[in-house]
Amino acid sequence: MIYEALQLAGILAFALSGALVGVRRNLDILGVVVVGAATGTGGGILRDILLGVHPPVSFLHWPNLVVAVAGSLVVFFVHPRLTRIRRFEVVFDAFGLGLFSANGAALALASGQAPITSVLVGTIAAIGGGVIRDVLVDTVPGVLTRELYAVSALLGAGLAVAVVALGGGVIAGSLVGGTTAIVLRLTSVARGWHLPRPKFAPETGKASPDAP
Amino acid sequence: MIYEALQLAGILAFALSGALVGVRRNLDILGVVVVGAATGTGGGILRDILLGVHPPVSFLHWPNLVVAVAGSLVVFFVHPRLTRIRRFEVVFDAFGLGLFSANGAALALASGQAPITSVLVGTIAAIGGGVIRDVLVDTVPGVLTRELYAVSALLGAGLAVAVVALGGGVIAGSLVGGTTAIVLRLTSVARGWHLPRPKFAPETGKASPDAP
Amino acid sequence: MIYEALQLAGILAFALSGALVGVRRNLDILGVVVVGAATGTGGGILRDILLGVHPPVSFLHWPNLVVAVAGSLVVFFVHPRLTRIRRFEVVFDAFGLGLFSANGAALALASGQAPITSVLVGTIAAIGGGVIRDVLVDTVPGVLTRELYAVSALLGAGLAVAVVALGGGVIAGSLVGGTTAIVLRLTSVARGWHLPRPKFAPETGKASPDAP
């Protein structure tokens, strides 16, 4: 039951982040629900497709969908002013990221996958929902540009696998890995930590456009 | 045989809508065929991946591909003037939406999936082709922004499942659900029906840009 | 072993092309690695999902991931000047395209798939990595716009299937199809070969914007 609660908490956090993006983009109520539900359940669906679980759990297990849709509806009706929405997006996204990475990895290992597979599946589950959200609203996904985003997911998944491999159980692994990922991600945002960028000669310091 | 015809009609309708978008974007002949074929077969491929059908039917059953490619080629050579293309896109897209949502849902239920799974799989099959088309040409998918788009798909899939569950058969379910979805979608376009959008204080009525 | 080397060469070529795009877009070191690894392994992961291989080979077989990550890191630290990056992108992308299309198709046929399925799976494996790369960085995928891109992939996959069907073996098929695809693609770039575009009345010669 704790495990189920962690799972639903991750879905809710991502659904809230997706619905907030939908509100910011001025989508209608169903557009907000579609982005929210796709963000909340998308990472888990990707995980299930990769592991060969048919149909994906979220297509069968109605609480997942109810949580994602209800969270999106709440955001549609009750949301912060436009200028403050981004802050909430980042926080909910960080919670989704941590919960999914650790949980997905711990679960994959416990179900008999190899450690490397488990870490990768957890990471994909964590970043997948956000990538779906960002591709849907036609933005470069945050995983490519945000502070320590993928690092946090990898670390959370890796720690969770380590805890489970050492006999700590899925729930302990999810909590240790998830908390670490959330704290690292939010700290990196607060402090503005970035990884190094490529070096160019002075006149080319900006990204070039994509004209062919 | 009626069932097969409905399936191919849905593929053709989506392929035409995809190829029209390709023509409007001035892609070359193969670009038009690739967008058309991906739009026509994409929803069904997603459905098969979710249900664990390997390889997806469209990779094995050549009529699906022939219909999608032939429809795209026809559009490349014979298409309306640029200013009128959008109208045709919307109509063909609505037919694809209705046929796929009802058909996919009825088929999933008849093959033993749970009702909720069937409705979701039908909806994904219906909106999947259009999402692939819109993401490929770098636009926000219509499912997030167009009039009653996802509502029509959900309703079509739901009605189809209801008809099949009440003993009406897959073909009756496909026809009832599909017709309803097409009529609802096209009426919503003609009347400009929209679902409500989020409310903001006056000075923030427009969607904000995505600058980080 | 030759087969394994061809596989890794394809992954490396696509990873280099993806990482170069990441550098051009000024992503940080992990963003570059994520785009590079997703581009290098993405086509094969799509192939495995379509064929029902769970989990995809790249999630289990560490050399695939090591090659993709190492290649991306090399690009991050040692890359051409911005004005010359595109040329390298195109060349590495062509090698990935050729190796993946022929290899994927030959392998699918040898594992018992139908010829049409094998050609399509090879083509998807070849263009999939590039589509993932281009969608991630928010560009219209090259498969829709670049010179003879999809033609080269289809031809490479078709030739590979023909060679294997005639008893030539997977390695011979991969080499013949792959070389042909690479040569055709690079020649089409050098000569500026394009397939025909749709014809419009004079005042509408340009692609229209996507405003609704």
Side-chain angles (χ1 to χ4, degrees):
Chain A
M1 216 203 66
I2 295 178
Y3 173 74
E4 171 81 13
L6 288 174
Q7 184 92 322
L8 289 175
I11 290 173
L12 180 63
F14 265 136
L16 295 175
S17 88
L20 284 167
V21 171
V23 165
R24 181 158 54 80
R25 291 301 196 102
N26 205 27
L27 301 181
D28 70 22
I29 183 169
L30 200 70
V32 169
V33 169
V34 170
V35 183
T39 309
T41 62
I45 290 172
L46 274 181
R47 177 198 64 206
D48 292 347
I49 288 174
L50 292 171
L51 293 176
V53 177
H54 302 296
V57 175
S58 288
F59 278 69
L60 200 52
H61 186 58
W62 60 264
N64 289 10
L65 204 68
V66 167
V67 163
V69 170
S72 303
L73 284 174
V74 168
V75 164
F76 181 82
F77 290 108
V78 187
H79 54 78
R81 273 178 305 146
L82 204 54
T83 46
R84 295 187 55 209
I85 279 190
R86 270 176 193 290
R87 249 175 280 174
F88 287 84
E89 279 175 38
V90 167
V91 171
F92 288 125
D93 183 80
F95 273 82
L97 186 78
L99 288 163
F100 264 92
S101 68
N103 207 308
L107 191 67
L109 191 74
S111 74
Q113 299 292 338
I116 181 179
T117 306
S118 305
V119 172
L120 290 171
V121 165
T123 305
I124 295 279
I127 67 184
V131 168
I132 290 172
R133 177 193 63 211
D134 296 340
V135 167
L136 280 179
V137 300
D138 203 15
T139 318
V140 175
V143 61
L144 298 182
T145 56
R146 290 187 186 161
E147 302 88 349
L148 304 196
Y149 196 90
V151 172
S152 303
L154 271 169
L155 185 69
L159 275 177
V161 163
V163 169
V164 176
L166 294 171
V170 166
I171 292 171
S174 299
L175 289 173
V176 170
T179 308
T180 311
I182 295 167
V183 169
L184 177 60
R185 167 76 182 122
L186 289 180
T187 310
S188 77
V189 173
R191 304 271 168 109
W193 287 342
H194 273 96
L195 293 177
R197 289 174 189 278
K199 281 173 191 155
F200 286 112
E203 81 282 5
T204 56
K206 293 214 170 173
S208 84
D210 251 318
Chain B
M1 216 206 67
I2 295 179
Y3 172 73
E4 170 81 14
L6 289 173
Q7 184 93 322
L8 290 176
I11 291 174
L12 179 63
F14 265 138
L16 294 175
S17 89
L20 284 167
V21 172
V23 164
R24 182 158 53 80
R25 292 302 196 100
N26 204 26
L27 301 181
D28 69 23
I29 184 169
L30 201 69
V32 169
V33 169
V34 169
V35 183
T39 309
T41 62
I45 291 171
L46 274 180
R47 178 198 64 207
D48 293 346
I49 289 174
L50 292 171
L51 293 176
V53 177
H54 300 298
V57 175
S58 287
F59 279 69
L60 201 51
H61 186 59
W62 59 264
N64 290 12
L65 204 69
V66 167
V67 162
V69 169
S72 303
L73 284 175
V74 168
V75 164
F76 181 80
F77 290 109
V78 187
H79 55 77
R81 274 179 304 146
L82 204 52
T83 47
R84 299 185 54 207
I85 279 191
R86 270 177 195 290
R87 251 176 279 173
F88 286 85
E89 281 174 35
V90 166
V91 171
F92 287 126
D93 183 79
F95 274 81
L97 186 77
L99 289 163
F100 264 92
S101 68
N103 206 309
L107 190 68
L109 191 74
S111 74
Q113 300 291 337
I116 182 181
T117 307
S118 304
V119 172
L120 290 171
V121 165
T123 305
I124 295 278
I127 66 184
V131 168
I132 291 173
R133 176 193 63 212
D134 296 341
V135 167
L136 279 179
V137 300
D138 204 14
T139 317
V140 175
V143 63
L144 298 181
T145 57
R146 293 190 184 160
E147 302 89 348
L148 305 196
Y149 196 91
V151 173
S152 304
L154 271 169
L155 185 68
L159 276 177
V161 163
V163 169
V164 175
L166 296 171
V170 167
I171 292 171
S174 299
L175 288 173
V176 171
T179 307
T180 311
I182 295 168
V183 169
L184 177 60
R185 167 76 182 124
L186 289 179
T187 309
S188 78
V189 173
R191 304 270 169 108
W193 287 343
H194 273 96
L195 294 176
R197 289 173 189 277
K199 283 174 190 152
F200 285 111
E203 79 282 7
T204 55
K206 295 214 170 173
S208 83
D210 249 319
Chain C
M1 215 205 66
I2 295 179
Y3 172 73
E4 170 82 14
L6 288 173
Q7 184 93 322
L8 290 175
I11 291 172
L12 179 62
F14 265 137
L16 295 175
S17 87
L20 284 166
V21 172
V23 165
R24 182 158 54 79
R25 292 302 198 99
N26 206 25
L27 303 180
D28 70 21
I29 184 167
L30 201 69
V32 170
V33 168
V34 169
V35 182
T39 309
T41 62
I45 290 170
L46 274 180
R47 179 197 62 207
D48 292 346
I49 288 174
L50 292 170
L51 293 176
V53 177
H54 301 297
V57 175
S58 289
F59 279 69
L60 200 53
H61 185 61
W62 59 265
N64 289 11
L65 204 69
V66 167
V67 162
V69 170
S72 303
L73 285 174
V74 167
V75 164
F76 180 82
F77 290 110
V78 185
H79 56 76
R81 274 177 305 145
L82 204 51
T83 47
R84 297 186 56 207
I85 279 190
R86 271 180 192 287
R87 250 175 278 173
F88 285 87
E89 280 175 38
V90 168
V91 171
F92 287 127
D93 182 79
F95 273 83
L97 186 77
L99 289 163
F100 263 93
S101 68
N103 208 309
L107 191 68
L109 191 74
S111 74
Q113 299 292 336
I116 184 180
T117 307
S118 305
V119 172
L120 290 171
V121 165
T123 305
I124 296 279
I127 66 184
V131 168
I132 291 173
R133 176 194 62 211
D134 296 340
V135 168
L136 281 179
V137 300
D138 204 13
T139 317
V140 175
V143 63
L144 298 182
T145 56
R146 290 190 185 161
E147 302 90 345
L148 305 195
Y149 197 88
V151 173
S152 304
L154 271 170
L155 185 69
L159 276 176
V161 164
V163 169
V164 175
L166 295 170
V170 166
I171 292 171
S174 299
L175 289 173
V176 170
T179 307
T180 310
I182 295 168
V183 168
L184 177 61
R185 167 74 181 126
L186 290 180
T187 308
S188 78
V189 173
R191 302 271 169 108
W193 288 342
H194 273 95
L195 293 177
R197 290 175 189 277
K199 281 173 191 155
F200 286 113
E203 81 281 5
T204 56
K206 293 215 171 172
S208 84
D210 251 318

